[in-house]
Amino acid sequence: MSFATGLICRECGTTYPSDAHYACEFCFGPLEVSYDLAGAKEAVTRESIAQGPNSIWRYGALLPDPGVAPVDLGAGWTPLRRATRLADVLGVKELWLKDDTRNPTGSFKDRVVSVALSSARRLGYATAACASTGNLATSVAAHAAFIGWPSITIIPADLERSKIAMTAIFGGTVLGVEGSYDDVNRLCIELVAEHGDWAFVNVNIRPYYAEGSKTLAYEIAEQLGWRVPDQVVVPVASGSQLTKVAKGFKEFIELGLIDGPAPVLFGAQATGCSPIATAFANGADVITPQRPNTIARSLAIGNPADGPYVLDELRLHGGDCGSVPDSEILECIRLLAETEGIFAETAGGVTIASLRQMIERGTIDPTKSIVAIISGHGLKTLDAVVDTATVSATIAPSLAAAEDALRFHQLVAAS
Ligand SMILES: *Cc1c(COP(=O)(O)O)cnc(C)c1O
Ligand SMILES: [Zn+2]
């Protein structure tokens, strides 16, 4: 059973029933799911959670629609691992990586889609759709295939070929738009007006979708032995993940499952699309939209819907937001792979490079514990690395040629 009570406007607090609303009728503010946490306190315990499945649905009581059968391809309960070799390179004491490459379709988006489509099914929808920078489209297409729904996923036409293939393979309709994600999003808002009977997971059922990101916070706390880390670094596109990670930690503290204070959250963006990092650095309240130009396509949202809430969260608790160039993104994909054996997509490079940047400028404390969220698998953005990650040498099939090459690479002693 769920302790969700309905929807609430994040601006004016007007409440709504748990239906297909997504914007406030009075102030047009975004809605979010509200819960009876006082009522949940007795039922939701460390023990009751630990008895749940090894997926996000172990936290079903704190999600909107666990129902009898949630749409569960197995999202979540991904490894949280101590990263000692990377910690040494970065000069930090306690570093953990939340390895969300290990999700059914290789990104954290499986969390939000699993929740969104479970709610969509309860609300009576039978078609899944989305506006996507790539990973969301893949996850929506996969989950829709899993429950036999048609899907319409809408992406920028020039996305990475691997991401397009990973989406199209599930057999839904994939529309490539000649434009940026922000053009795609605008189009989807128009489409919702025409096709209100389609569940656009991140538009007309966005309040439910967003809740899936809370499970990152829940898992981090549980996997650390019911303890909060001091600092968490979160990649930022629309800003939904960061604001809901904050919500997840706050709910766990309110439920008495962990002791506060909540961790300080830090954002991570690519300089080629850093509207939130820029507003934060300038002390601005208003986010100036940016036309994206970066290899981190999954984070390339120039006009982020949750931007103002991310700024509030960072400012309220002494956070910061990194902004890193493409060269450092590539360097840090390699650094993560070489030190920890994790191959991340470009967003993972953004997270690690931003972590390094914020340690260098002193906003992240290297003596306190840190969790970095690695949100997508490297196979999704192979294009970014194929030119530099290649064979060490091409040789004739002979022992002499092999020995020559190994000598050149100083793997055997020179004779
Ligand atoms: C979508 C995405 C994010 C963050 O998305 P938000 O819109 O900020 O919630 C982070 N990493 C990857 C790999 C993504 O696909
Ligand atoms: Zn309102």
Tab-separated table of all heavy atoms in Angstrom, residues 356-379:
chain	number	residue	atom	x	y	z
A	356	ARG	N	35.605	16.835	-9.114
A	356	ARG	CA	37.001	17.286	-9.029
A	356	ARG	C	37.077	18.811	-8.978
A	356	ARG	O	37.825	19.379	-8.181
A	356	ARG	CB	37.766	16.740	-10.248
A	356	ARG	CG	39.243	17.079	-10.243
A	356	ARG	CD	39.966	16.387	-11.377
A	356	ARG	NE	39.585	16.916	-12.680
A	356	ARG	CZ	40.077	16.474	-13.845
A	356	ARG	NH1	40.981	15.505	-13.842
A	356	ARG	NH2	39.701	16.996	-14.975
A	357	GLN	N	36.269	19.470	-9.817
A	357	GLN	CA	36.286	20.938	-9.859
A	357	GLN	C	35.862	21.543	-8.512
A	357	GLN	O	36.469	22.496	-8.023
A	357	GLN	CB	35.338	21.409	-10.962
A	357	GLN	CG	35.282	22.904	-11.147
A	357	GLN	CD	34.280	23.263	-12.235
A	357	GLN	OE1	33.071	23.250	-12.021
A	357	GLN	NE2	34.784	23.565	-13.430
A	358	MET	N	34.829	20.962	-7.910
A	358	MET	CA	34.309	21.551	-6.669
A	358	MET	C	35.204	21.233	-5.463
A	358	MET	O	35.232	21.986	-4.494
A	358	MET	CB	32.859	21.117	-6.457
A	358	MET	CG	31.925	21.748	-7.506
A	358	MET	SD	30.173	21.405	-7.266
A	358	MET	CE	30.031	19.755	-7.956
A	359	ILE	N	35.965	20.116	-5.562
A	359	ILE	CA	36.987	19.856	-4.533
A	359	ILE	C	38.076	20.923	-4.665
A	359	ILE	O	38.507	21.524	-3.682
A	359	ILE	CB	37.610	18.450	-4.707
A	359	ILE	CG1	36.568	17.362	-4.426
A	359	ILE	CG2	38.818	18.278	-3.786
A	359	ILE	CD1	36.975	15.981	-4.940
A	360	GLU	N	38.487	21.183	-5.923
A	360	GLU	CA	39.565	22.152	-6.163
A	360	GLU	C	39.184	23.552	-5.690
A	360	GLU	O	40.007	24.281	-5.151
A	360	GLU	CB	39.946	22.178	-7.648
A	360	GLU	CG	40.926	21.070	-8.007
A	360	GLU	CD	41.045	20.812	-9.515
A	360	GLU	OE1	40.507	21.622	-10.300
A	360	GLU	OE2	41.680	19.797	-9.874
A	361	ARG	N	37.919	23.939	-5.898
A	361	ARG	CA	37.590	25.293	-5.437
A	361	ARG	C	37.072	25.325	-3.998
A	361	ARG	O	36.639	26.358	-3.506
A	361	ARG	CB	36.644	25.997	-6.405
A	361	ARG	CG	35.242	25.504	-6.516
A	361	ARG	CD	34.382	26.540	-7.275
A	361	ARG	NE	33.140	25.963	-7.702
A	361	ARG	CZ	32.850	25.651	-8.967
A	361	ARG	NH1	33.724	25.861	-9.922
A	361	ARG	NH2	31.686	25.123	-9.262
A	362	GLY	N	37.130	24.185	-3.338
A	362	GLY	CA	36.913	24.174	-1.895
A	362	GLY	C	35.463	24.146	-1.449
A	362	GLY	O	35.175	24.298	-0.268
A	363	THR	N	34.523	23.928	-2.380
A	363	THR	CA	33.130	23.877	-1.940
A	363	THR	C	32.746	22.465	-1.493
A	363	THR	O	31.857	22.297	-0.668
A	363	THR	CB	32.165	24.373	-3.041
A	363	THR	OG1	32.520	23.769	-4.280
A	363	THR	CG2	32.261	25.883	-3.186
A	364	ILE	N	33.419	21.444	-2.033
A	364	ILE	CA	33.242	20.081	-1.528
A	364	ILE	C	34.386	19.789	-0.562
A	364	ILE	O	35.553	20.025	-0.883
A	364	ILE	CB	33.208	19.057	-2.677
A	364	ILE	CG1	31.894	19.209	-3.469
A	364	ILE	CG2	33.347	17.619	-2.150
A	364	ILE	CD1	31.697	18.190	-4.567
A	365	ASP	N	34.022	19.316	0.624
A	365	ASP	CA	35.007	19.061	1.676
A	365	ASP	C	35.592	17.655	1.505
A	365	ASP	O	34.872	16.663	1.677
A	365	ASP	CB	34.315	19.203	3.042
A	365	ASP	CG	35.290	19.065	4.199
A	365	ASP	OD1	36.408	18.523	3.994
A	365	ASP	OD2	34.921	19.483	5.315
A	366	PRO	N	36.905	17.556	1.188
A	366	PRO	CA	37.502	16.241	0.923
A	366	PRO	C	37.637	15.372	2.168
A	366	PRO	O	37.891	14.173	2.063
A	366	PRO	CB	38.887	16.602	0.354
A	366	PRO	CG	39.194	17.947	0.902
A	366	PRO	CD	37.876	18.655	1.046
A	367	THR	N	37.461	15.971	3.356
A	367	THR	CA	37.599	15.188	4.578
A	367	THR	C	36.276	14.550	4.987
A	367	THR	O	36.217	13.760	5.918
A	367	THR	CB	38.106	16.056	5.744
A	367	THR	OG1	37.094	17.026	6.077
A	367	THR	CG2	39.395	16.775	5.375
A	368	LYS	N	35.200	14.937	4.301
A	368	LYS	CA	33.880	14.382	4.638
A	368	LYS	C	33.414	13.420	3.545
A	368	LYS	O	33.908	13.455	2.429
A	368	LYS	CB	32.872	15.521	4.807
A	368	LYS	CG	33.168	16.371	6.027
A	368	LYS	CD	32.054	17.353	6.252
A	368	LYS	CE	32.226	18.065	7.594
A	368	LYS	NZ	31.444	19.308	7.600
A	369	SER	N	32.428	12.579	3.875
A	369	SER	CA	32.009	11.544	2.925
A	369	SER	C	31.280	12.141	1.717
A	369	SER	O	30.595	13.161	1.817
A	369	SER	CB	31.111	10.519	3.626
A	369	SER	OG	29.966	11.147	4.138
A	370	ILE	N	31.479	11.480	0.579
A	370	ILE	CA	30.920	11.950	-0.699
A	370	ILE	C	30.295	10.756	-1.422
A	370	ILE	O	30.902	9.684	-1.490
A	370	ILE	CB	32.033	12.523	-1.610
A	370	ILE	CG1	32.820	13.634	-0.901
A	370	ILE	CG2	31.453	13.020	-2.942
A	370	ILE	CD1	34.132	13.988	-1.600
A	371	VAL	N	29.112	10.962	-1.992
A	371	VAL	CA	28.533	9.993	-2.934
A	371	VAL	C	28.393	10.688	-4.284
A	371	VAL	O	27.892	11.819	-4.352
A	371	VAL	CB	27.150	9.483	-2.469
A	371	VAL	CG1	26.509	8.607	-3.538
A	371	VAL	CG2	27.272	8.709	-1.153
A	372	ALA	N	28.858	10.043	-5.355
A	372	ALA	CA	28.665	10.577	-6.710
A	372	ALA	C	27.729	9.639	-7.462
A	372	ALA	O	27.921	8.415	-7.447
A	372	ALA	CB	30.005	10.694	-7.433
A	373	ILE	N	26.727	10.209	-8.122
A	373	ILE	CA	25.753	9.398	-8.859
A	373	ILE	C	26.223	9.243	-10.311
A	373	ILE	O	26.364	10.229	-11.034
A	373	ILE	CB	24.352	10.034	-8.795
A	373	ILE	CG1	23.855	10.011	-7.333
A	373	ILE	CG2	23.375	9.279	-9.713
A	373	ILE	CD1	22.533	10.710	-7.112
A	374	ILE	N	26.475	7.988	-10.699
A	374	ILE	CA	26.890	7.674	-12.076
A	374	ILE	C	25.635	7.172	-12.779
A	374	ILE	O	25.208	6.035	-12.590
A	374	ILE	CB	28.006	6.607	-12.079
A	374	ILE	CG1	29.162	7.043	-11.162
A	374	ILE	CG2	28.490	6.350	-13.509
A	374	ILE	CD1	29.799	8.377	-11.524
A	375	SER	N	25.048	8.033	-13.629
A	375	SER	CA	23.649	7.826	-14.022
A	375	SER	C	23.417	7.083	-15.330
A	375	SER	O	22.270	6.749	-15.651
A	375	SER	CB	22.930	9.180	-14.071
A	375	SER	OG	23.669	10.091	-14.863
A	376	GLY	N	24.483	6.809	-16.123
A	376	GLY	CA	24.238	6.113	-17.388
A	376	GLY	C	25.459	5.346	-17.875
A	376	GLY	O	26.611	5.699	-17.585
A	377	HIS	N	25.212	4.283	-18.626
A	377	HIS	CA	26.266	3.375	-19.084
A	377	HIS	C	27.033	3.913	-20.295
A	377	HIS	O	26.450	4.523	-21.187
A	377	HIS	CB	25.654	2.011	-19.439
A	377	HIS	CG	26.651	0.912	-19.438
A	377	HIS	ND1	27.578	0.757	-20.434
A	377	HIS	CD2	26.893	-0.074	-18.540
A	377	HIS	CE1	28.351	-0.285	-20.156
A	377	HIS	NE2	27.945	-0.805	-19.004
A	378	GLY	N	28.329	3.616	-20.329
A	378	GLY	CA	29.185	4.105	-21.405
A	378	GLY	C	28.847	3.579	-22.787
A	378	GLY	O	29.148	4.236	-23.793
A	379	LEU	N	28.213	2.399	-22.857
A	379	LEU	CA	27.859	1.865	-24.174
A	379	LEU	C	26.834	2.763	-24.875
A	379	LEU	O	26.664	2.688	-26.083
A	379	LEU	CB	27.287	0.445	-24.045
A	379	LEU	CG	28.312	-0.633	-23.691
A	379	LEU	CD1	27.614	-1.964	-23.441
A	379	LEU	CD2	29.356	-0.776	-24.792
